[in-house]
């Protein structure tokens, strides 16, 4: 099954990070089955084919047992409901793959029952959850020029400008930034990029000061003619968001992968310096901040503008199949974000700073 999933990575059907999660989740399931049900063959777990066959090992009863063990971990607050759902979904897909390839004779009848699901409580929480945003003072502090804020201030401004999350920053290429001349001769900079999560095509006009600062940053890194290079990387040249199994967060080697996010790490370090920790705000809060501005500016025009800004998949038939909204309609609202958030002075300082380091 792992070989099958590895081929899916090669064919770009799933990511390498997804493959690592599958391996980890299957390892957990095999540990649950125990040594009596499996043999260890150096690199692979191999289910025993005894007189009763593999169906006796991988059946509906074992599936119930695994679900029960995950329920117990949730009650003891060892794992979250979302994590448990990931564990169980991997095992269900594994069962279905075995059945399709005729490694097992029957698919457990309870595999799709409601009792074999972890119903997320997220939807009910979203109905009452209060959206927490940064205050004007907090934004100004985070955007100030300090050693610990470089290039964090560019990350923050791009998140406000484009509604990006850290994974969008981590997949931002030099070629995504383009210079354009409008009919009236005005020169603007625009980013054309697919949202990483949904693959939705989107574009955003850049704040003028941010466009200047970003171009100076790219030139200072020697990337101005390298369209296929990432704009932002870690100090050792790796993507800002990675799937790791070792590192500072893991003192000992482990087969269980974890997500390393340099953007969140840098932001939390900066927030700690400013005594801003413990307020439930994260890098994704900047996306909410920008979306809130767009939504309030277009309150009487429906939700199409903030959905366009957030690069959401269209929720109505018209936008999904018939209507293409002109970018210029969103541009004027994006360009009002700095004034409404009262960060124009900070933008000017950041623009001048990156211009000075590129001289």
């Amino acid at each position: 099954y792992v070989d099958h999933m590895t081929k899916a990575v090669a064919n770009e059907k799933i990511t390498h990070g997804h493959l690592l999660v599958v391996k980890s989740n299957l390892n957990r399931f095999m540990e649950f089955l125990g040594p009596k049900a499996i043999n260890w063959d150096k690199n692979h777990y191999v289910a025993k084919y005894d007189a009763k066959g593999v169906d006796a090992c991988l059946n509906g009863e074992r599936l119930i047992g695994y679900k029960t063990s995950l329920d117990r971990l949730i009650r003891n607050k060892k794992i979250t409901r979302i994590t448990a759902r990931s564990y169980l979904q991997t095992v269900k897909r594994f069962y279905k793959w075995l059945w399709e390839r005729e490694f097992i004779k029957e698919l457990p009848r309870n595999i799709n029952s409601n009792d074999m699901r972890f119903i997320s409580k997220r939807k009910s929480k979203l109905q009452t959850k209060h959206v927490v945003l940064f205050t004007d003072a907090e934004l100004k502090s985070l955007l100030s020029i300090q050693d610990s804020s470089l290039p964090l201030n560019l990350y923050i401004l791009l998140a406000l400008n484009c509604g990006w999350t850290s994974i969008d920053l981590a997949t931002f290429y030099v070629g995504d930034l383009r210079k354009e001349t409008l009919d009236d001769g005005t020169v603007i900079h625009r980013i054309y990029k697919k949202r990483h999560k949904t693959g939705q095509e989107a574009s955003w006009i850049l704040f003028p000061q941010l466009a200047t600062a970003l171009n100076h940053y790219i030139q200072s890194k020697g990337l101005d003619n390298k369209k296929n290079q990432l704009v932002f990387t870690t100090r050792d040249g790796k993507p800002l968001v990675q799937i790791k199994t070792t590192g500072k967060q893991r003192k000992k080697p482990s087969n269980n992968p974890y997500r390393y996010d340099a953007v969140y790490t840098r932001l939390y370090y900066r927030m700690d310096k400013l005594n801003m920790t413990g307020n439930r705000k994260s890098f994704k809060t900047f996306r909410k901040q920008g979306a809130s501005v767009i939504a309030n500016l277009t309150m009487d025009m429906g939700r199409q503008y903030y959905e366009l800004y957030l690069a959401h998949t269209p929720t109505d038939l018209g936008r999904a199949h018939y209507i293409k909204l002109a970018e210029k309609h969103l541009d004027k609202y994006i360009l009002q974000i700095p004034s409404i958030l009262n960060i124009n002075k900070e933008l000017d300082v950041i623009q001048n700073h990156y211009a000075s380091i590129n001289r």
Side-chain angles (χ1 to χ4, degrees), residues 81-120:
R81 185 175 293 272
I82 293 174
T83 300
R85 185 169 57 184
S86 171
Y87 292 160
L88 191 59
Q89 283 178 341
T90 297
V91 172
K92 284 182 174 182
R93 292 187 185 117
F94 177 49
Y95 267 69
K96 290 177 181 178
W97 181 86
L98 291 171
W99 178 66
E100 288 169 358
R101 300 303 192 281
E102 298 185 354
F103 288 112
I104 56 177
K105 296 176 182 179
E106 293 185 3
L107 191 65
R109 296 180 183 180
N110 61 352
I111 196 167
N112 292 321
S113 71
N114 288 333
D115 291 338
M116 294 303 298
R117 295 178 183 174
F118 288 102
I119 306 299
S120 176

Side-chain angles (χ1 to χ4, degrees), residues 128-352:
T128 57
K129 187 176 179 181
H130 176 64
V131 177
V132 179
L133 302 177
F134 287 104
T135 65
D136 287 355
E138 287 173 336
L139 272 179
K140 289 177 181 294
S141 296
L142 288 168
L143 289 172
S144 63
I145 300 295
Q146 301 289 338
D147 290 341
S148 61
S149 67
L150 304 176
L152 177 63
N153 42 33
L154 292 182
Y155 300 168
I156 293 171
L157 289 174
L158 280 166
L160 291 170
N161 194 142
C162 309
W164 282 0
T165 60
S166 57
I167 191 63
D168 296 306
L169 278 169
T171 54
F172 174 36
Y173 289 88
V174 176
D176 296 332
L177 175 63
R178 303 176 196 176
K179 182 179 178 180
E180 298 178 355
T181 304
L182 302 180
D183 294 338
D184 62 359
T186 304
V187 176
I188 64 167
H189 287 81
R190 189 183 297 280
I191 290 176
Y192 289 87
K193 190 180 183 306
K194 288 183 179 180
R195 186 185 175 204
H196 186 273
K197 182 177 180 180
T198 61
Q200 182 71 24
E201 296 272 2
S203 71
W204 303 266
I205 190 173
L206 288 184
F207 309 147
Q209 305 99 314
L210 174 57
T212 302
L214 196 55
N215 275 302
H216 282 304
Y217 176 83
I218 289 172
Q219 291 169 19
S220 70
K221 298 294 181 180
L223 298 172
D224 41 327
N225 293 317
K226 299 178 180 178
K227 294 185 177 181
N228 295 324
Q229 291 290 321
L230 290 170
V231 176
F232 302 113
T233 59
T234 59
R235 292 179 181 177
D236 54 359
K238 295 181 179 179
L240 294 176
V241 179
Q242 306 165 47
I243 302 296
K244 290 186 173 185
T245 55
T246 59
K248 290 183 178 180
Q249 295 181 34
R250 286 281 164 86
K251 295 181 180 180
K252 296 181 180 180
S254 170
N255 290 325
N256 296 326
Y258 69 93
R259 175 186 169 114
Y260 170 74
D261 194 319
V263 178
Y264 272 73
T265 300
R266 182 66 65 87
L267 175 64
Y268 288 145
Y269 176 78
R270 180 78 176 129
M271 289 174 69
D272 185 54
K273 288 281 187 181
L274 297 170
N275 296 318
M276 290 168 55
T277 55
N279 56 12
R280 293 198 303 119
K281 298 173 186 176
S282 68
F283 190 77
K284 202 169 184 178
T285 304
F286 300 114
R287 174 176 167 84
K288 299 176 184 179
Q289 200 113 21
S292 296
V293 172
I294 301 295
N296 282 294
L297 286 172
T298 60
M299 185 72 71
D300 300 328
M301 306 176 197
R303 61 188 181 191
Q304 63 265 30
Y305 287 103
Y306 70 77
E307 285 188 344
L308 196 62
Y309 166 81
L310 292 169
H312 278 171
T313 303
T315 54
D316 61 89
L317 188 64
R319 271 204 63 208
H321 298 288
Y322 298 100
I323 301 169
K324 178 175 174 57
L325 292 176
E327 296 155 348
K328 64 181 180 180
H329 295 311
L330 180 62
D331 290 352
K332 62 182 179 181
Y333 301 117
I334 287 179
L335 293 177
Q336 292 181 57
I337 291 176
S339 298
I340 291 175
L341 296 180
N342 197 25
I343 57 171
N344 273 314
K345 288 184 179 179
E346 284 68 29
L347 271 166
D348 291 337
V349 172
I350 290 170
Q351 173 185 245
N352 294 334

Side-chain angles (χ1 to χ4, degrees), residues 120-129:
S120 176
K121 295 182 179 179
R122 189 176 178 185
K123 188 171 183 179
S124 60
K125 285 185 178 181
L126 284 175
Q127 294 172 352
T128 57
K129 187 176 179 181

